[in-house]
Amino acid sequence: MGTVGSHHPGVMAGARNLIVGRDAELGAVDAFLTTARTHFAVLTLEGEAGIGKTTIWLEALRRAGGRGARVLRTRPSEAEATLSYAALADLFDSVTGVTVSQLPVPQGEAISAALLRAPAPRRGIDERALCAAVLTLLRLMSAREPLVVAVDDAQWLDSPSARVLSFAVRRLDTEAMGFLVTARVGAPAPQRFDRAADPTRNETLLVGALSVAALHELIKHDTGRSLSRPTMVQVAGVCGGNPLYALEIAAALPDRPLAGGRLPVPDSLSAQVVARVGHLSAATRRALLVAAALSQPTTDLVDPRALGAARRAGIVSIDESRIQFAHPLLASAMYGRADRSERQ
């Protein structure tokens, strides 16, 4: 759900998430915030779902508020992606009518209608005037104080908001302002407004896997459990260094030793895998199960023709003869949901 714009140091009041193993990412955040105090900059945090992009994003907003920056933010969701200008309404919710009154009349009318502060004209909202209004507002605000515009999960932006923000970032340059964005790897390009910025002003940082030590610290902090090194290595291997997946797997671990040495995959994660492979043919699913059961699956042991649909769906890839799952969790869940006869 979208979150309204916030102002100054209290922007992220409340409990902070534990952040471990992200020194490089937080260093990039600090450099971005320093740059944004003097001229326009964009920092995009990319990564898979659950990898920790939002945790870093929230810490960045806390640091921005601590430096005296004004923060406008939105956190769109997939369910809101069809609501026109929903993200703009979040971002500019805290902007006063006094500020809007400084805009030329056509721009003021357009932004007021988009923010649902005034009825839309009979002919509809003039998007060109709205684009100009957003650009003007950003320039007015950044001239008064450092400004950070923050968008979490940019792939879920509604298309009209994405178009307006694209218009703005193409034209910003010397303004004391930064756009801080998170986006899922492989997300559809149309909603990725951050890519419209000048490449010299735009940095994309891939948020990758956490180390075994960092995952152990996180699990101990969140669950109170201190797992053995061999178990932690297994957890890291199955979750691919993804902290969200690691916490769910750790929560499902029994207190007794693991039977057969394989980690249980929680139903919540397993269901995601089923949804992803459910449309595939029985032959393809069997081939995937064979690959999941092998420690080193190759095309010598698994028919690559049966994996064709899985390759096109991005579930597996084949490098020379080696078969690799897009994520280790896919293999573990495939194996975990199979019954004994299927495994045999």
Side-chain angles (χ1 to χ4, degrees):
M1 184 172 181
T3 308
V4 298
S6 301
H7 192 83
H8 288 318
V11 61
M12 290 312 302
R16 292 169 56 191
N17 292 329
L18 177 69
I19 301 178
V20 292
R22 297 301 190 195
D23 292 346
E25 290 86 348
L26 293 177
V29 163
D30 286 334
F32 158 77
L33 292 175
T34 298
T35 299
R37 294 186 70 87
T38 58
H39 61 262
F40 180 62
V42 178
L43 176 62
T44 301
L45 305 172
E46 275 193 357
E48 65 180 50
I51 201 67
K53 303 181 298 297
T54 298
T55 298
I56 299 168
W57 183 84
L58 290 171
E59 173 62 14
L61 300 196
R62 189 191 69 81
R63 295 186 181 194
R67 294 184 180 207
R70 179 170 187 169
V71 176
L72 308 177
R73 64 173 183 163
T74 182
R75 301 183 67 180
S77 68
E78 185 176 6
E80 297 173 346
T82 58
L83 301 179
S84 296
Y85 305 121
L88 283 187
D90 290 342
L91 290 173
F92 293 99
D93 180 76
S94 64
V95 177
T96 66
V98 174
T99 303
V100 173
S101 68
Q102 299 177 52
L103 300 174
V105 173
Q107 294 182 25
E109 290 179 347
I111 190 75
S112 295
L115 300 182
L116 302 181
R117 296 179 183 178
R122 289 184 181 178
R123 63 187 180 280
I125 296 174
D126 183 340
E127 191 162 292
R128 184 183 172 202
L130 178 59
C131 289
V134 167
L135 180 60
T136 304
L137 284 174
L138 292 175
R139 284 172 170 162
L140 285 172
M141 287 187 285
S142 65
R144 296 171 187 158
E145 57 196 337
L147 181 66
V148 172
V149 180
V151 180
D152 188 30
D153 275 332
Q155 72 276 359
W156 302 135
L157 274 177
D158 60 280
S159 295
S161 291
R163 289 195 301 271
V164 173
L165 292 176
S166 294
F167 179 92
V169 299
R170 284 192 195 97
R171 290 160 176 80
L172 293 167
D173 183 25
T174 59
E175 295 81 2
M177 180 192 327
F179 272 67
L180 180 65
V181 182
T182 73
R184 195 170 297 178
V185 166
Q191 319 302 35
R192 292 292 306 278
F193 73 92
D194 53 302
R195 294 176 177 173
D198 185 330
T200 64
R201 302 290 195 197
N202 192 349
E203 178 184 2
T204 298
L205 184 65
L206 182 64
V207 180
L210 283 179
S211 67
V212 174
L215 288 173
H216 180 264
E217 187 175 347
L218 186 65
I219 289 171
K220 186 175 180 180
H221 176 272
D222 278 38
T223 70
R225 302 180 67 179
S226 183
L227 304 179
S228 68
R229 174 74 182 182
T231 300
M232 274 307 313
V233 170
Q234 278 189 285
V235 171
V238 170
C239 75
N242 185 303
L244 177 63
Y245 297 162
L247 288 170
E248 293 205 34
I249 291 169
L253 284 174
D255 294 327
R256 62 185 182 278
L258 296 172
R262 279 187 179 263
L263 293 174
V265 177
D267 289 342
S268 59
L269 299 181
S270 186
Q272 295 179 33
V273 175
V274 171
R276 190 166 178 182
V277 304
H279 67 284
L280 300 175
S281 68
T284 299
R285 293 198 300 272
R286 281 197 299 273
L288 286 172
L289 178 57
V290 172
L294 295 167
S295 59
Q296 294 183 329
T298 66
T299 53
D300 295 331
L301 301 169
V302 184
D303 184 358
R305 292 170 297 180
L307 292 174
R311 292 176 69 184
R312 290 189 293 273
I315 295 170
V316 295
S317 62
I318 299 178
D319 183 10
E320 294 182 349
S321 64
R322 186 182 177 192
I323 300 168
Q324 289 184 302
F325 281 84
H327 195 285
L329 188 62
L330 290 167
S332 295
M334 285 291 302
Y335 186 87
R337 290 190 70 89
D339 60 33
R340 182 174 296 181
S341 63
E342 289 174 321
R343 293 174 186 173
Q344 290 176 340

